[in-house]
Amino acid sequence: MKIKTLLLLAIFTVALLPTSMAKEKKTVEKTKWETVDFMDKYKGKIKVSGGAKKNLQQNQSFIRDYAIGNALVMKGSESNAKGSVFSEVFFGGIPQEPFQQMVEELYQQFTEGISGAGLTITDGDELLKSAWAVKKSGDKGSWIGKTGSDPIPVKASIMDAVVPGFGVWGVKEAVYFRPVNKNVYMTDKKVYGTFYQNLSAQNGVSLIAVYYNLTFAWFDGGRGYKTSRLETKPALSIQPTVVIDGVTITFGELPIWGNNDWSMGLTETDLNKLEYFGLATSGEYALQANADKYIAEVKAIISNFQTDLIQALKEEL
Protein backbone atom coordinates (compact mmCIF):
# COMPACT_ATOMS: atom_id res chain seq x y z
CA MET A 1 0.00 0.00 0.00
CA LYS A 2 1.49 3.26 -1.06
CA ILE A 3 2.01 5.73 1.73
CA LYS A 4 1.37 9.26 0.50
CA THR A 5 2.32 10.94 3.76
CA LEU A 6 3.55 9.57 7.04
CA LEU A 7 1.78 11.50 9.77
CA LEU A 8 3.78 12.71 12.74
CA LEU A 9 1.86 11.99 15.91
CA ALA A 10 2.46 11.38 19.57
CA ILE A 11 -0.52 10.02 21.47
CA PHE A 12 -0.29 9.58 25.19
CA THR A 13 -2.45 7.14 27.16
CA VAL A 14 -2.32 5.94 30.74
CA ALA A 15 -3.44 2.49 31.88
CA LEU A 16 -2.71 -0.12 34.52
CA LEU A 17 -0.46 -2.91 33.34
CA PRO A 18 0.81 -5.99 35.19
CA THR A 19 4.41 -5.56 34.05
CA SER A 20 6.78 -2.74 33.21
CA MET A 21 8.47 -1.90 29.94
CA ALA A 22 12.07 -0.72 29.64
CA LYS A 23 12.88 2.87 28.82
CA GLU A 24 15.81 4.92 27.67
CA LYS A 25 16.94 8.33 28.78
CA LYS A 26 19.63 10.41 27.22
CA THR A 27 20.21 14.09 26.64
CA VAL A 28 22.83 15.68 24.42
CA GLU A 29 24.19 19.10 23.72
CA LYS A 30 23.84 20.59 20.26
CA THR A 31 26.26 18.68 18.04
CA LYS A 32 27.85 19.73 14.74
CA TRP A 33 28.18 16.36 13.08
CA GLU A 34 30.76 17.42 10.52
CA THR A 35 33.21 17.95 13.39
CA VAL A 36 32.65 14.54 14.99
CA ASP A 37 35.15 11.71 14.60
CA PHE A 38 32.64 8.86 14.76
CA MET A 39 35.23 6.09 15.05
CA ASP A 40 36.75 7.83 18.06
CA LYS A 41 33.63 9.17 19.79
CA TYR A 42 31.68 5.92 19.49
CA LYS A 43 34.69 3.66 20.03
CA GLY A 44 34.58 2.10 16.59
CA LYS A 45 37.00 -0.62 15.50
CA ILE A 46 37.49 -2.33 12.15
CA LYS A 47 39.50 -5.50 11.60
CA VAL A 48 39.88 -7.10 8.15
CA SER A 49 41.05 -10.70 7.96
CA GLY A 50 43.84 -11.56 5.53
CA GLY A 51 41.57 -13.56 3.26
CA ALA A 52 38.89 -10.89 3.28
CA LYS A 53 41.39 -8.19 2.37
CA LYS A 54 42.40 -10.12 -0.72
CA ASN A 55 38.78 -10.81 -1.68
CA LEU A 56 37.71 -7.20 -1.24
CA GLN A 57 40.64 -5.94 -3.27
CA GLN A 58 40.42 -8.47 -6.12
CA ASN A 59 36.80 -9.61 -6.34
CA GLN A 60 33.48 -7.85 -6.75
CA SER A 61 31.36 -6.75 -3.80
CA PHE A 62 27.56 -6.62 -3.71
CA ILE A 63 25.50 -4.38 -1.43
CA ARG A 64 22.86 -6.99 -0.69
CA ASP A 65 20.72 -4.62 1.35
CA TYR A 66 20.69 -0.96 2.38
CA ALA A 67 17.81 0.26 4.52
CA ILE A 68 16.85 3.06 6.88
CA GLY A 69 14.15 2.20 9.39
CA ASN A 70 12.12 4.75 11.32
CA ALA A 71 10.15 3.78 14.42
CA LEU A 72 6.44 4.45 14.10
CA VAL A 73 5.09 3.33 17.46
CA MET A 74 6.96 3.21 20.76
CA LYS A 75 5.77 2.27 24.22
CA GLY A 76 7.25 2.93 27.62
CA SER A 77 6.08 2.38 31.18
CA GLU A 78 6.78 2.98 34.85
CA SER A 79 5.68 0.63 37.64
CA ASN A 80 4.97 0.65 41.34
CA ALA A 81 3.30 -1.69 43.81
CA LYS A 82 -0.14 -0.68 42.51
CA GLY A 83 0.56 -1.34 38.83
CA SER A 84 2.03 0.53 35.87
CA VAL A 85 1.46 3.64 33.80
CA PHE A 86 2.40 3.61 30.17
CA SER A 87 2.87 6.03 27.31
CA GLU A 88 2.21 4.98 23.72
CA VAL A 89 3.74 7.26 21.13
CA PHE A 90 2.82 7.28 17.45
CA PHE A 91 5.25 8.72 14.93
CA GLY A 92 4.93 8.62 11.16
CA GLY A 93 8.03 10.60 10.46
CA ILE A 94 8.00 12.84 7.47
CA PRO A 95 6.30 13.12 4.07
CA GLN A 96 7.43 10.10 2.11
CA GLU A 97 9.05 11.84 -0.86
CA PRO A 98 11.76 13.89 0.93
CA PHE A 99 12.62 11.01 3.24
CA GLN A 100 12.97 8.68 0.26
CA GLN A 101 15.16 11.25 -1.50
CA MET A 102 17.43 11.32 1.56
CA VAL A 103 17.75 7.53 1.41
CA GLU A 104 18.69 7.68 -2.27
CA GLU A 105 21.39 10.27 -1.61
CA LEU A 106 22.86 8.41 1.36
CA TYR A 107 22.93 5.15 -0.60
CA GLN A 108 24.71 6.89 -3.47
CA GLN A 109 27.23 8.41 -1.06
CA PHE A 110 27.93 5.01 0.49
CA THR A 111 28.31 3.31 -2.90
CA GLU A 112 30.70 5.96 -4.20
CA GLY A 113 32.64 6.01 -0.94
CA ILE A 114 33.09 2.25 -0.73
CA SER A 115 34.20 2.22 -4.36
CA GLY A 116 36.71 4.93 -3.55
CA ALA A 117 38.07 2.72 -0.78
CA GLY A 118 39.12 0.18 -3.40
CA LEU A 119 36.09 -2.11 -3.67
CA THR A 120 34.50 -3.01 -7.01
CA ILE A 121 30.74 -2.82 -6.61
CA THR A 122 28.41 -4.93 -8.74
CA ASP A 123 24.72 -4.13 -9.17
CA GLY A 124 23.90 -7.79 -8.60
CA ASP A 125 21.91 -8.39 -11.79
CA GLU A 126 23.96 -11.43 -12.83
CA LEU A 127 24.54 -12.55 -9.26
CA LEU A 128 20.83 -12.97 -8.60
CA LYS A 129 20.59 -15.20 -11.69
CA SER A 130 23.11 -17.63 -10.19
CA ALA A 131 22.03 -21.16 -9.33
CA TRP A 132 22.10 -20.57 -5.58
CA ALA A 133 20.11 -17.31 -5.71
CA VAL A 134 17.49 -18.92 -7.94
CA LYS A 135 17.26 -21.91 -5.59
CA LYS A 136 16.77 -19.71 -2.51
CA SER A 137 14.29 -17.32 -4.15
CA GLY A 138 11.42 -19.58 -3.13
CA ASP A 139 12.39 -19.74 0.54
CA LYS A 140 9.91 -18.41 3.05
CA GLY A 141 11.09 -15.09 4.44
CA SER A 142 13.58 -14.43 1.63
CA TRP A 143 13.63 -11.33 -0.55
CA ILE A 144 15.64 -11.75 -3.72
CA GLY A 145 15.09 -9.21 -6.47
CA LYS A 146 14.44 -5.51 -7.02
CA THR A 147 13.24 -3.05 -4.42
CA GLY A 148 10.04 -1.17 -5.11
CA SER A 149 9.21 2.46 -4.54
CA ASP A 150 7.15 2.08 -1.37
CA PRO A 151 8.42 1.92 2.22
CA ILE A 152 7.66 -1.31 4.08
CA PRO A 153 5.89 -1.21 7.48
CA VAL A 154 6.67 -3.91 10.05
CA LYS A 155 5.18 -4.80 13.44
CA ALA A 156 6.72 -6.52 16.43
CA SER A 157 5.93 -10.21 16.59
CA ILE A 158 4.26 -11.74 19.62
CA MET A 159 7.48 -13.64 20.33
CA ASP A 160 9.79 -10.61 20.10
CA ALA A 161 7.44 -8.05 21.76
CA VAL A 162 9.41 -5.26 20.04
CA VAL A 163 10.88 -4.71 16.58
CA PRO A 164 14.54 -5.83 16.85
CA GLY A 165 17.58 -3.86 15.75
CA PHE A 166 16.83 -0.49 17.34
CA GLY A 167 19.10 1.18 19.87
CA VAL A 168 16.19 2.11 22.15
CA TRP A 169 13.83 -0.51 23.52
CA GLY A 170 10.08 -0.23 23.00
CA VAL A 171 9.60 -0.01 19.22
CA LYS A 172 6.30 -1.70 18.41
CA GLU A 173 6.05 -0.68 14.76
CA ALA A 174 8.50 0.71 12.21
CA VAL A 175 8.80 1.49 8.52
CA TYR A 176 11.79 0.71 6.29
CA PHE A 177 12.96 2.75 3.31
CA ARG A 178 15.33 1.38 0.67
CA PRO A 179 16.78 2.92 -2.49
CA VAL A 180 14.39 2.38 -5.38
CA ASN A 181 14.97 -0.32 -8.02
CA LYS A 182 18.08 -1.83 -6.43
CA ASN A 183 18.79 -5.54 -6.06
CA VAL A 184 18.23 -7.09 -2.64
CA TYR A 185 19.32 -10.47 -1.31
CA MET A 186 18.16 -11.02 2.25
CA THR A 187 16.15 -13.22 4.59
CA ASP A 188 14.29 -12.35 7.75
CA LYS A 189 15.08 -15.71 9.35
CA LYS A 190 17.10 -15.48 12.55
CA VAL A 191 18.84 -18.76 11.74
CA TYR A 192 19.75 -18.47 8.08
CA GLY A 193 22.36 -21.20 7.70
CA THR A 194 24.29 -20.96 4.42
CA PHE A 195 21.88 -18.48 2.83
CA TYR A 196 24.55 -15.79 2.49
CA GLN A 197 27.68 -17.91 2.69
CA ASN A 198 26.93 -20.02 -0.37
CA LEU A 199 25.99 -17.04 -2.53
CA SER A 200 29.34 -15.47 -1.68
CA ALA A 201 31.46 -18.63 -1.98
CA GLN A 202 29.90 -19.97 -5.17
CA ASN A 203 30.17 -16.67 -7.00
CA GLY A 204 33.41 -15.23 -5.60
CA VAL A 205 31.73 -12.08 -4.32
CA SER A 206 31.79 -10.24 -0.97
CA LEU A 207 28.44 -9.26 0.52
CA ILE A 208 27.67 -5.95 2.24
CA ALA A 209 24.58 -4.96 4.25
CA VAL A 210 23.88 -1.56 5.80
CA TYR A 211 21.08 -0.67 8.22
CA TYR A 212 20.23 2.49 10.15
CA ASN A 213 17.40 2.23 12.69
CA LEU A 214 15.91 5.47 14.02
CA THR A 215 13.85 6.10 17.13
CA PHE A 216 12.23 9.39 18.09
CA ALA A 217 11.39 9.33 21.82
CA TRP A 218 12.46 8.31 25.28
CA PHE A 219 10.40 7.87 28.41
CA ASP A 220 11.32 9.72 31.59
CA GLY A 221 9.72 8.16 34.65
CA GLY A 222 9.69 8.29 38.40
CA ARG A 223 7.93 6.18 40.99
CA GLY A 224 6.99 5.85 44.61
CA TYR A 225 5.21 3.09 46.47
CA LYS A 226 1.75 4.27 45.38
CA THR A 227 2.40 6.68 42.51
CA SER A 228 4.16 6.57 39.18
CA ARG A 229 5.10 9.32 36.74
CA LEU A 230 5.96 8.91 33.07
CA GLU A 231 6.84 11.68 30.62
CA THR A 232 7.53 11.17 26.93
CA LYS A 233 10.08 13.46 25.28
CA PRO A 234 11.43 13.77 21.73
CA ALA A 235 14.81 12.08 21.30
CA LEU A 236 16.34 11.03 18.00
CA SER A 237 18.61 8.00 18.15
CA ILE A 238 20.29 6.11 15.30
CA GLN A 239 21.54 2.54 15.57
CA PRO A 240 23.90 1.73 12.66
CA THR A 241 24.68 -1.83 11.59
CA VAL A 242 27.21 -2.48 8.81
CA VAL A 243 28.08 -6.04 7.80
CA ILE A 244 30.89 -6.84 5.33
CA ASP A 245 32.12 -10.36 4.63
CA GLY A 246 35.34 -11.04 6.52
CA VAL A 247 35.34 -7.64 8.22
CA THR A 248 34.69 -7.20 11.95
CA ILE A 249 33.06 -3.84 12.69
CA THR A 250 32.28 -2.96 16.30
CA PHE A 251 31.25 0.15 18.23
CA GLY A 252 31.40 0.49 21.98
CA GLU A 253 29.12 3.50 22.38
CA LEU A 254 25.81 3.22 20.55
CA PRO A 255 23.22 4.39 19.67
CA ILE A 256 24.06 7.80 18.26
CA TRP A 257 21.89 10.41 19.99
CA GLY A 258 20.95 13.30 17.72
CA ASN A 259 19.91 16.89 18.26
CA ASN A 260 16.20 17.40 18.88
CA ASP A 261 15.51 20.89 17.62
CA TRP A 262 13.29 19.29 14.95
CA SER A 263 10.60 18.85 17.60
CA MET A 264 7.88 21.51 17.67
CA GLY A 265 6.40 20.27 20.93
CA LEU A 266 3.01 19.00 21.99
CA THR A 267 -0.21 20.49 20.69
CA GLU A 268 -3.79 19.63 21.59
CA THR A 269 -5.60 18.27 18.57
CA ASP A 270 -8.62 16.33 17.42
CA LEU A 271 -7.37 13.13 15.83
CA ASN A 272 -10.67 11.31 15.57
CA LYS A 273 -10.70 11.48 11.76
CA LEU A 274 -7.09 10.65 11.15
CA GLU A 275 -5.98 7.32 9.72
CA TYR A 276 -2.85 5.41 10.66
CA PHE A 277 -1.99 3.09 7.80
CA GLY A 278 -5.67 2.81 7.03
CA LEU A 279 -6.74 2.20 10.64
CA ALA A 280 -8.74 4.89 12.41
CA THR A 281 -7.12 6.29 15.55
CA SER A 282 -7.86 9.01 18.07
CA GLY A 283 -6.09 11.00 20.72
CA GLU A 284 -5.74 14.35 22.43
CA TYR A 285 -2.15 15.42 21.75
CA ALA A 286 0.26 15.45 18.81
CA LEU A 287 4.03 15.86 18.84
CA GLN A 288 4.67 18.05 15.82
CA ALA A 289 8.03 18.08 14.03
CA ASN A 290 9.67 20.26 11.45
CA ALA A 291 10.18 17.84 8.56
CA ASP A 292 13.09 19.74 7.02
CA LYS A 293 14.99 19.85 10.32
CA TYR A 294 14.36 16.18 11.07
CA ILE A 295 15.58 14.99 7.69
CA ALA A 296 18.57 17.35 7.80
CA GLU A 297 19.58 16.00 11.22
CA VAL A 298 19.27 12.36 10.18
CA LYS A 299 21.16 12.98 6.95
CA ALA A 300 23.98 14.86 8.68
CA ILE A 301 24.53 12.04 11.17
CA ILE A 302 24.45 9.18 8.68
CA SER A 303 26.46 10.99 6.02
CA ASN A 304 29.30 11.85 8.36
CA PHE A 305 29.19 8.41 9.99
CA GLN A 306 29.54 6.75 6.59
CA THR A 307 32.44 9.00 5.65
CA ASP A 308 34.39 8.11 8.79
CA LEU A 309 33.57 4.41 8.60
CA ILE A 310 34.67 4.12 4.96
CA GLN A 311 37.88 6.03 5.65
CA ALA A 312 38.69 3.62 8.48
CA LEU A 313 38.01 0.66 6.18
CA LYS A 314 40.21 2.17 3.49
CA GLU A 315 43.08 2.50 5.96
CA GLU A 316 42.68 -1.18 6.90
CA LEU A 317 42.77 -2.25 3.26
Side-chain angles (χ1 to χ4, degrees):
M1 174 175 62
K2 187 170 183 178
I3 306 169
K4 294 296 184 181
T5 303
L6 301 176
L7 300 174
L8 175 58
L9 312 174
I11 302 171
F12 302 95
T13 58
V14 177
L16 291 177
L17 293 177
T19 59
S20 65
M21 285 176 282
K23 54 188 176 295
E24 293 284 338
K25 178 180 178 181
K26 186 77 174 181
T27 57
V28 297
E29 296 179 354
K30 180 73 173 180
T31 302
K32 296 181 179 179
W33 298 107
E34 66 275 11
T35 67
V36 173
D37 181 335
F38 282 84
M39 300 303 292
D40 179 60
K41 181 177 177 63
Y42 298 97
K43 296 178 170 46
K45 295 181 180 180
I46 293 182
K47 183 177 181 180
V48 183
S49 68
K53 183 178 296 187
K54 181 179 178 180
N55 288 336
L56 291 170
Q57 291 172 337
Q58 298 181 3
N59 299 334
Q60 291 186 325
S61 296
F62 171 52
I63 303 174
R64 62 171 180 82
D65 199 12
Y66 185 102
I68 298 179
N70 204 117
L72 293 173
V73 182
M74 297 177 66
K75 289 185 178 181
S77 76
E78 189 65 69
S79 302
N80 60 33
K82 299 296 184 179
S84 301
V85 294
F86 74 87
S87 174
E88 184 174 58
V89 187
F90 292 79
F91 179 76
I94 315 299
Q96 178 181 327
E97 291 77 9
F99 199 92
Q100 181 66 53
Q101 180 60 36
M102 177 196 71
V103 174
E104 301 290 341
E105 292 172 2
L106 289 171
Y107 172 80
Q108 185 67 25
Q109 181 213 19
F110 181 83
T111 302
E112 293 176 354
I114 208 78
S115 297
L119 278 65
T120 302
I121 301 299
T122 174
D123 60 16
D125 283 344
E126 295 302 317
L127 185 63
L128 297 193
K129 296 176 184 177
S130 66
W132 180 256
V134 172
K135 177 181 178 180
K136 304 307 289 183
S137 61
D139 284 7
K140 183 179 180 180
S142 67
W143 182 6
I144 301 173
K146 296 288 187 182
T147 59
S149 59
D150 297 332
I152 299 176
V154 297
K155 293 184 178 181
S157 67
I158 296 177
M159 182 178 296
D160 290 331
V162 296
V163 180
F166 288 82
V168 175
W169 196 93
V171 177
K172 308 299 288 187
E173 298 182 32
V175 62
Y176 283 89
F177 288 76
R178 289 175 168 85
V180 174
N181 199 35
K182 302 299 181 183
N183 284 316
V184 171
Y185 182 87
M186 59 88 69
T187 178
D188 60 11
K189 291 183 179 180
K190 293 181 179 180
V191 180
Y192 47 78
T194 59
F195 182 83
Y196 298 113
Q197 180 183 348
N198 281 359
L199 181 73
S200 175
Q202 292 179 15
N203 296 278
V205 64
S206 296
L207 303 180
I208 301 171
V210 182
Y211 301 100
Y212 298 101
N213 286 337
L214 285 55
T215 60
F216 58 89
W218 56 266
F219 305 101
D220 185 19
R223 61 183 176 180
Y225 178 72
K226 294 183 178 180
T227 62
S228 292
R229 173 183 60 82
L230 186 65
E231 182 180 3
T232 304
K233 296 182 178 181
L236 170 63
S237 80
I238 299 179
Q239 181 76 20
T241 302
V242 180
V243 181
I244 304 175
D245 283 353
V247 180
T248 302
I249 301 174
T250 61
F251 287 89
E253 297 287 343
L254 289 177
I256 300 167
W257 293 92
N259 300 307
N260 298 311
D261 54 350
W262 49 267
S263 174
M264 298 171 63
L266 289 172
T267 58
E268 190 170 1
T269 182
D270 179 7
L271 305 178
N272 292 310
K273 296 182 179 179
L274 290 178
E275 288 190 349
Y276 178 64
F277 284 118
L279 301 176
T281 186
S282 62
E284 297 179 356
Y285 297 95
L287 175 63
Q288 302 292 346
N290 181 301
D292 291 339
K293 287 185 177 181
Y294 184 83
I295 290 176
E297 181 70 6
V298 172
K299 185 177 180 180
I301 294 172
I302 295 178
S303 176
N304 286 286
F305 172 85
Q306 290 186 157
T307 297
D308 289 356
L309 178 71
I310 291 170
Q311 179 59 36
L313 176 62
K314 184 177 181 180
E315 292 172 0
E316 283 295 307
L317 294 176

